[in-house]
Amino acid sequence: MRWPWLLSLFLISPASAEDITVFAAASLAGPLDRVAHAFTAQTGHEVTLSYAGSSSIARQVEQGAPADVVFLANIDWMDHLEAAQAIRPGTRRDLLGNRLVIVMNTTHLADADVPPGIGDGRIAMALVDAVPAGIYGRMAFEASGVWDALRPQVIETDNVRAALRLVVLGAAQTGVVYATDAMAEPGVAVIETLSATLHPPIVYPAALTPHAPEPGRAFLDWLAGDAARALFRDAGFAVIDE
């Protein structure tokens, strides 16, 4: 009779893997998917990724959205969550860096009358008062003394990937996006890299929420590990050494 043997097998088998929910900045989509897949393959813990603008994520987490790990593209929004006690003390880490670039649809590059830089067409940007890529872009243009002139040309979007999409579709002549976004999209080409001296450093912090299960901490550690760092570097991110 085999039933006792089967029962003993169930009793000694390891605990089932736990799922982890990660709220992440839209600009991380792609490389973070690959990082999460590698983590699941190694540990068995499934990772659900939810992408949005950092401002939207911060507001959702502050209101109790069920995130275990928060991975933003802006230290100010993580400061906001820390002040609201919406992240677990001592878990915050600065992991990645990025650059801002101006992109144009590759089919428009031959237009001889389009001047270098922004030009006079529509400019796609993430929300310039809320989303990190838009905030950094606005600050760079303000520091350059051109923001007032450019402001009427700007089309604002909910996140930086949406701004990139407008350029790909031809709905905007140019767009201000992260270098990693441009690297991942063959439909655009970089026509200018904005000087990093024109805005604060672009830093991606990650942290656990107060109710995160133990696998959440394992995933946060994984993000800072060699395998994840290699994947982020391949995607064009700068890796911050702690």
Side-chain angles (χ1 to χ4, degrees), residues 5 9 41 55 66 94 98 107 124 204:
W5 178 83
L9 176 63
S55 57
D94 292 339
N98 215 330
T107 62
Y204 288 69

Side-chain angles (χ1 to χ4, degrees), residues 102-155:
I102 300 172
V103 295
M104 180 179 286
N105 188 302
T106 53
T107 62
H108 299 158
L109 291 178
D111 292 349
D113 56 349
V114 174
I118 287 294
D120 56 4
R122 304 296 280 171
I123 308 163
M125 297 178 68
L127 294 169
V128 299
D129 293 316
V131 176
I135 295 172
Y136 293 131
R138 172 178 54 77
M139 294 176 72
F141 291 142
E142 287 175 340
S144 300
V146 299
W147 176 243
D148 289 342
L150 294 178
R151 184 68 181 91
Q153 300 169 227
V154 172
I155 307 172

Side-chain angles (χ1 to χ4, degrees), residues 22-178:
V22 179
F23 283 20
S27 55
L28 290 164
L32 185 56
D33 292 89
R34 293 187 285 275
V35 169
H37 178 78
F39 175 80
T40 298
Q42 180 72 25
T43 67
H45 299 298
E46 293 290 338
V47 180
T48 298
L49 298 169
S50 179
Y51 294 109
S54 292
S55 57
S56 177
I57 290 172
R59 293 187 182 105
Q60 292 175 42
V61 171
E62 185 179 12
Q63 293 168 9
D68 300 316
V69 178
V70 184
F71 199 174
L72 304 181
N74 180 265
I75 58 175
D76 290 340
W77 281 114
M78 192 65 85
D79 288 345
H80 177 84
L81 288 179
E82 193 164 26
Q85 299 183 330
I87 59 173
R88 187 179 302 176
T91 64
R92 177 176 175 174
R93 302 181 183 183
D94 292 339
L95 297 176
L96 304 174
N98 215 330
R99 296 290 300 273
L100 276 185
V101 298
I102 300 172
V103 295
M104 180 179 286
N105 188 302
T106 53
T107 62
H108 299 158
L109 291 178
D111 292 349
D113 56 349
V114 174
I118 287 294
D120 56 4
R122 304 296 280 171
I123 308 163
M125 297 178 68
L127 294 169
V128 299
D129 293 316
V131 176
I135 295 172
Y136 293 131
R138 172 178 54 77
M139 294 176 72
F141 291 142
E142 287 175 340
S144 300
V146 299
W147 176 243
D148 289 342
L150 294 178
R151 184 68 181 91
Q153 300 169 227
V154 172
I155 307 172
E156 296 187 60
T157 63
D158 287 342
N159 59 68
V160 69
R161 289 296 175 88
L164 180 68
R165 187 64 181 161
L166 288 184
V167 180
V168 173
L169 294 174
Q173 183 186 46
T174 57
V176 179
V177 301
Y178 292 120

